[in-house]
Each structure stands twice: as C-alpha cells, then as structure tokens.
Amino acid sequence: MNEARKSPPKKMVVELEVNGTRHELLVEPRRTLLEVLREELGLTGAKEGCGLGACGTCTVLMDGRPVRACLTLAVEAQGASILTVEGLADTVADREPGALHPIQEAFVDAHGVQCGFCTPGMILAAKALLDEEPDPDEARIREALGGQVCRCTGYTKIVEAVKLAARRLSGEEVKA
Amino acid sequence: MLRLPHFAVHRPGSVAEGLQILAAAPHARPLAGGTDLLVAMKHGHHTDADLVSLAGLGLSGIERSDSTLTVGAGTSLWDLMRRAWPDALGVVAEAARAVAAPPLQSRATVGGNVCLDTRCWFFNQSAFWRSGRPACLKAGGDRCHVVPGGSDCHAVSQADLPPVLIACGAQAEIAGADGSRDVPVEGLFSGDGRRPHTLSSAELLLRLRIPLPPPGAGAAYEKLRMRRALDFAAASAAVYLERRDGGCARARVVLGGLGTKPLRVPEAEAALEGTELDPRALAEAAEAAVAAARPVKNTDLTPAYRRKMAGVLVRRAALRAWTRAAGEES
Ligand SMILES: Cc1cc2nc3c(=O)[nH]c(=O)nc-3n(C[C@H](O)[C@H](O)[C@H](O)COP(=O)(O)OP(=O)(O)OC[C@H]3O[C@@H](n4cnc5c(N)ncnc54)[C@H](O)[C@@H]3O)c2cc1C
Ligand code: SF4
Ligand code: FES
Ligand code: FES
C-alpha cells in the first residue's frame, strides 16, 4: 500500500475561469472538474450519467473544446477557461435579459429536448462544432455529436436542431 | 457521483523531473489525458497509485524534417486530426478520428493511446460487478474467467493508433533514468494481457517518429465496432503499401483488437508483395489474416465473426491503400 494513502493527500490550489468568472479553489487532487462544477460552484447543468466518459452528459467546453468533465481532473484544468450551459447565453453580445443562446432556441424550436438530461452536453458539443465549422453537413454534425448519448428523442430532432442553429447563427431568419 | 480514490498529483515541469518522481515512487503512474487511466481507477483498479501529470513536460506538438514526422506523446488526438498530413500518412489522422468521440479526442493523447491498457469484459467493470467472482489474473488474482484453467491473460489490445503506427514503420523514443532509446513501435508490446507494454514503470514514451514514405506509398485503416462512435475496435486492420511500376514493392499488414498486442501478419505482407493486388493476392492476404487472428470471447461480437472479419478488413484496407498509393483519393 502506498504510504501517502494513510492520510488523504494535500489539497491543491486551482484557478479556473468558469463562464467568465475567475475562481481560486482548494480541491482534493482526485476531484474531477464535474465534481467541482456541480458541488463547489453549484453549476448543475453538466450532469453525471455514467461517470466513465461513455455518455456525454457531463460535456463542457474547456478552452473552446468539448471535454468530458467526469474524466478531467480539476487540477488538470488549472488556468483553463470553462464554459458550461449556464454561461452559454451570456456569450451572445447585447443579449436581451433572459434570452437564450440561438443553439438553445433551436433545440426548443426543433423539439430536440425531451427529458433534457443529455441536452447541456448536446448543446455544448454543438457549439464547439459550429464555432469551428459554421456550416457543417449532416455527416459532420453526427460525428460531432457522436459521443453524446440521448435515451429519449432519437437523434433526428437533435440533428435538425443543430442544422437550424447553424442557419440562424449565419444570419438567416428561420421561423420556429 | 462515481468517485475516484484518493491520490496525489505530481506536476513536474520537465521530463527529467517526471522521470525522477516515477523512479522514486514505484506506485506512481503517468497521467496524460486520463481518458483510460481515470476510468480504470473509478472501476477500482490501481487504487494505490499516485499520478504524475505529463501536462507540463512539453511533449505536445508535431514537427516535420526532410525524412521524418515527429509526434510528441502529449499531442492530443484532436490536434493530430486537424493537422495537414502528407497524403501517404493521412491514415494516422484516420485512426485518431476513429477513437472514441470528439470530447474524448480533445484530451486523449497519442502517448496514452499507444500505452492504452488491454481490455476485457471481466476486467473493465466496476469493483462491485467484479466482486461477484474471484479476481482474475489481470486484477492480481489466480485465474482467467475467459479461458478457465489457463495461466495467461487474453485481454485485448484495442487501441487504434498502434496498428497504423506499426504499419507506417514508426519508432518510439522511450526515456528512463539511463537516458533515452528508440525502439520500433512494434517492440513496445509484450503480448501479456496483464502487462501489455515493454516500458518499465519508471519509463516514459516521449515521441513517435514516423518516416516520410517514398512517392507511391499509401495506407488505410479499417475498424469494426458496434457503433460508429465511442466503441473500441472489435477488430481492425492497418495496411501500408508502396507501389512501384504498377506493382506492390512493399506491404505491411497489422491487425488490432484480435490479440493481446497488435499483430503484424508477415504472411499477408508476402501475399501482397510482388503482385498487382489481384483478387488472388487479396484472397491470400485475407486468409493469412484470418489465420493470424487470436480472438477470444472477451469483447463485443463473437470470436468467429471477428476472425472472419480480419480477412475482410485487411482486404478493404489493402484496396483503399492501393488506390491511395496510385494517387487517387478513395
Ligand atoms: C467511452 C470511451 C471510448 C473510448 N474509445 C476508444 C477507441 O475507440 N479507441 C481507442 O483507441 N481508445 C478509446 N478509448 C480510450 C482512450 O480514450 C484513448 O485510448 C486515449 O487515446 C488514451 O489517451 P490518454 O491520454 O487519455 O491516456 P491516459 O488515460 O492518460 O493513459 C493511458 C495509459 O497510458 C499511460 N501513459 C500515458 N502517457 C504515457 C507516456 N507518455 N509514457 C508512458 N505511459 C503513458 C498511463 O499511465 C496509462 O496507463 C476510449 C475511452 C472511453 C472512455
Ligand atoms: S482475459 Fe482473463 S485474466 Fe485477462 S482480464 Fe480477462 S478475465 Fe482477466
Ligand atoms: S458522465 Fe461523463 S461521459 Fe457520462
Ligand atoms: S432528452 Fe432525455 S436523454 Fe436526451
């Protein structure tokens, strides 16, 4: 048995920027980003489905890239900028109070949400895709969402929602 | 929440410092993207390990010289896929793209993929699930649940990059207390499901060096899995070919997901070399792959089907590699 294990290892200082706010936290080295977001910062948008990387509902953006928060140690996110679904709408410039992000609106309008458990991860995976590729074809959308499991809707409406979001984000006016 | 066991995380700032920590702490394990290691730890494996983060070692990046592409072990699969590759090496990005899904590719590293632990239905389960029967060989016990009575562990090498790296003739730079050495990627795999790599616990994989192929080279990777995302290879094949004067001057054929290590198939290579990849040569190569495959019942899909697919995948990969070698994108 490892000697260090007789007492829990010392906590470590982690600096994170979450949804635009800087935090300095003292965390156990074993804590995942998901635990810190949910249990230290009270941001429960990212969820734990499997805790093992296999379902995608914990997906958040770390420096713009989608990551599994359940498999990312908080201390490995040192200095990173994290975006969760709670902060998504605030990334829109001059947003009206209470207004959603266009990707969120598209999920509502295209009926891409049922129980909603997978939705935060789906939306953030979609954001990462659309930030990199504003006009993806269906194959690319399916690849980008390939790691996000939904047990309710089937994927057709979710894919439609991302297509709708892409059109709206490129300036097209598409009614619900 | 599924919690991790307690561990310390060391954050060395250089390779030398990282090696020192690994040498001093026999229980320490390198942590790259964590997408394999942390899953195993949540399942109650390696619960006595402290972790050595490789994030500060400067091991990320791809460099090109006249003869070689050097890929740092810390390079993420995400970056690897987005890099413009010479045509004949596009297969490396192809294999990276077949790993898991984008939110794992973003953190998963090349080094972690090469050092991916072998996998098995009985080992990759929660501690609770496993507690229903005695520990197996790979978990420190005295028996195998897949091949009862045997003394070997048949856990499968299912990583996607190794077959491709071997097919492309890549070398690995390994560093330990006594300095660093280059070994062919093929030489990194032991064939023992329990300890599948030849690296010692005090060594690190630093870089991979892929020789730039001559004109007329082409390669392709085929992967069989249940779903097109997230699933590991139930079987896979990488084929690298060099085409000269219309014929196949050189072939390398490697299987993944069909044994305890990536399997090079010299008989399949011999069947293709000196031919124009006519149906007969392809059939012989496929037959050799079927004969070389060592599937057992410890992963998705039946061993008989996976064995049969070894031939199909080799044929498909060979044909795509051939077309690519001819300069046409397939
Ligand atoms: C849902 C899911 C699906 C997956 N699907 C696939 C798949 O389809 N194909 C596939 O190949 N993999 C798959 N994986 C496994 C894993 O994500 C990848 O293999 C990944 O590339 C591992 O890299 P990492 O950096 O995250 O490794 P880590 O987990 O950090 O490390 C893996 C192992 O390698 C060791 N290690 C890491 N770097 C070094 C180094 N430089 N020197 C020495 N040892 C080192 C670690 O100590 C550890 O034992 C999947 C994982 C999950 C959770
Ligand atoms: S092949 Fe046997 S010994 Fe190896 S992990 Fe599976 S059950 Fe355990
Ligand atoms: S909770 Fe992270 S992938 Fe399922
Ligand atoms: S909406 Fe229920 S899991 Fe996707």
Side-chain angles (χ1 to χ4, degrees):
Chain A
M1 194 61 192
N2 190 338
E3 287 305 308
R5 211 53 19 82
K6 284 175 186 162
S7 55
K10 272 211 226 82
K11 290 189 177 182
M12 295 168 81
V13 178
V14 186
E15 293 155 61
L16 296 175
E17 187 190 299
V18 182
N19 301 333
T21 308
R22 296 199 65 79
H23 297 273
E24 200 180 273
L25 301 154
L26 197 59
V27 299
E28 284 181 356
R30 65 167 175 151
R31 290 289 173 224
T32 62
L33 180 58
L34 184 62
E35 289 172 304
V36 167
L37 291 173
R38 291 182 60 89
E39 295 172 353
E40 305 275 331
L41 302 178
L43 297 168
T44 53
K47 319 227 176 294
E48 180 183 68
C50 62
L52 300 167
C55 76
T57 190
C58 68
T59 302
V60 299
L61 302 192
M62 180 162 150
D63 296 329
R65 295 179 181 188
V67 302
R68 294 298 206 230
C70 71
L71 293 184
T72 303
L73 293 185
V75 295
E76 290 284 274
Q78 165 61 32
S81 160
I82 309 292
L83 183 72
T84 73
V85 75
E86 287 92 341
L88 181 62
D90 288 334
T91 62
V92 181
D94 306 324
R95 176 178 71 102
E96 280 178 29
L100 294 173
H101 186 278
I103 302 178
Q104 290 171 308
E105 272 172 3
F107 268 71
V108 173
D109 293 348
H111 302 284
V113 184
Q114 279 190 44
C115 80
F117 201 79
C118 69
T119 310
M122 288 285 179
I123 285 179
L124 290 168
K127 170 153 170 63
L129 170 68
L130 297 177
D131 283 350
E132 196 180 15
E133 248 176 272
D135 186 22
D137 62 17
E138 179 158 337
R140 279 292 293 132
I141 295 173
R142 287 186 177 270
E143 182 183 5
L145 299 185
Q148 313 302 120
V149 176
C150 174
R151 292 288 82 150
C152 294
T153 66
Y155 299 94
T156 306
K157 292 185 172 176
I158 294 174
V159 171
E160 290 308 319
V162 179
K163 286 186 191 163
L164 177 62
R167 289 171 65 192
R168 286 183 178 161
L169 283 167
S170 69
E172 217 181 303
E173 267 190 46
V174 194
K175 288 250 154 41
Chain B
M1 288 250 199
L2 201 50
R3 309 281 180 191
L4 283 160
H6 278 292
F7 48 70
V9 175
H10 301 277
R11 298 179 61 81
S14 68
V15 171
E17 198 189 330
L19 289 171
Q20 250 171 26
I21 298 170
L22 284 171
H27 287 286
R29 283 176 182 257
L31 172 72
T35 60
D36 177 41
L37 185 58
L38 297 180
V39 175
M41 294 182 87
K42 284 192 174 184
H43 276 163
H45 296 297
H46 323 308
T47 47
D48 59 353
D50 282 334
L51 304 185
V52 181
S53 167
L54 305 184
L57 268 49
L59 291 178
S60 161
I62 304 179
E63 276 166 38
R64 186 179 174 155
S65 75
D66 289 344
S67 60
T68 317
L69 260 172
T70 304
V71 181
T75 309
S76 68
L77 301 183
W78 180 281
D79 286 339
L80 198 75
M81 285 164 51
R82 280 158 178 77
R83 157 98 190 190
W85 288 82
D87 282 349
L89 291 181
V91 66
V92 179
E94 191 173 295
R97 200 165 177 167
V99 173
L104 288 144
Q105 290 157 356
S106 56
R107 306 255 326 134
T109 65
V110 174
N113 194 262
V114 171
C115 296
L116 181 72
D117 200 359
T118 48
R119 306 177 51 79
C120 166
W121 271 354
F122 292 92
F123 184 79
N124 298 102
Q125 300 285 353
S126 68
F128 173 73
W129 190 95
R130 287 184 292 114
S131 71
R133 48 176 100 213
C136 75
L137 294 165
K138 190 169 167 69
D142 63 357
R143 67 196 72 195
C144 174
H145 302 305
V146 180
V147 184
S151 57
D152 294 330
C153 166
H154 303 270
V156 195
S157 167
Q158 290 182 294
D160 289 304
L161 285 181
V164 161
L165 292 168
I166 294 169
C168 293
Q171 299 272 319
E173 184 185 338
I174 307 296
D178 309 327
S180 68
R181 60 192 161 100
D182 272 18
V183 292
V185 171
E186 219 177 326
L188 292 178
F189 300 93
S190 70
D192 178 350
R194 274 164 291 202
R195 250 205 91 71
H197 295 90
T198 55
L199 267 72
S200 83
S201 61
E203 286 182 317
L204 286 173
L205 170 62
L206 297 189
R207 294 172 191 90
L208 295 151
R209 288 188 234 286
I210 313 173
L212 286 173
Y221 181 63
E222 291 283 336
K223 174 174 179 177
L224 173 72
R225 50 175 160 176
M226 295 286 277
R227 301 174 293 181
R228 238 181 307 165
L230 290 171
D231 283 341
F232 285 88
S236 69
V239 175
Y240 167 92
L241 301 172
E242 285 173 19
R243 185 165 169 146
R244 223 166 293 144
D245 305 325
C248 173
R250 176 176 223 174
R252 278 193 290 258
V253 177
V254 188
L255 301 177
L258 288 162
T260 51
K261 63 176 177 178
L263 303 171
R264 180 108 184 244
V265 193
E267 298 79 8
E269 297 170 0
L272 298 175
E273 284 174 358
T275 74
E276 291 175 15
L277 264 73
D278 49 276
R280 197 185 142 147
L282 286 167
E284 271 178 37
E287 225 170 276
V290 170
R294 293 280 171 274
V296 293
K297 204 176 160 106
N298 64 353
T299 180
D300 289 344
L301 305 173
T302 64
Y305 178 58
R306 286 160 63 212
R307 176 185 286 282
K308 212 167 186 177
M309 284 304 288
V312 175
L313 298 176
V314 163
R315 185 200 302 259
R316 283 184 192 156
L319 280 172
R320 279 206 298 129
W322 190 240
T323 311
R324 285 179 174 170
E328 307 162 26
E329 252 317 310
S330 61

